[in-house]
Amino acid sequence: ALPKTEFAFAQALLTHVSKSKAGLSLKQLNNRLMKQSSDPSERAEQIQNTLACLTDEGYTTAPDAEGLVQFRSFLLRDWWSRNHV
């Protein structure tokens, strides 16, 4: 249960990650989410907070050593891609 603006940010983040089978790096996510949040430091914080929530909920993996974020399951990624992109 996220507030409306945080929910929209989470949806945008998941949509971007779903478009790449290999996942996206934090830098790539930062670049793709510029429209959602124009302030770079605020955006970086939003990404971290949103990823923490999405990881806890089982949607995504935590960023790995290279900062790569992926859907936890390819089935979930494919479902998200079909239904939300």
Side-chain angles (χ1 to χ4, degrees):
L2 295 171
K4 194 173 189 173
T5 55
E6 290 177 35
F7 182 72
F9 192 84
Q11 282 187 308
L13 188 149
L14 288 171
T15 296
H16 289 300
V17 174
S18 75
K19 293 178 182 179
S20 173
K21 289 185 180 189
L24 294 174
S25 69
L26 292 173
K27 184 176 180 178
Q28 290 171 315
L29 277 173
N30 189 37
N31 290 335
R32 285 171 173 78
L33 292 167
M34 279 186 197
K35 290 181 183 178
Q36 304 299 118
S37 176
S38 59
D39 181 82
S41 59
E42 182 180 304
R43 185 173 55 250
E45 184 177 338
Q46 270 187 295
I47 290 170
Q48 292 298 325
N49 292 338
T50 303
L51 283 175
C53 180
L54 293 172
T55 299
D56 288 346
E57 294 293 324
Y59 283 90
T60 63
T61 60
D64 65 12
E66 287 114 28
L68 190 67
V69 175
Q70 301 175 332
F71 266 83
R72 188 168 302 276
S73 159
F74 74 90
L75 294 172
L76 182 57
R77 183 197 67 227
D78 291 348
W79 178 86
W80 189 272
S81 187
R82 280 192 312 272
N83 293 290
H84 294 283
V85 175

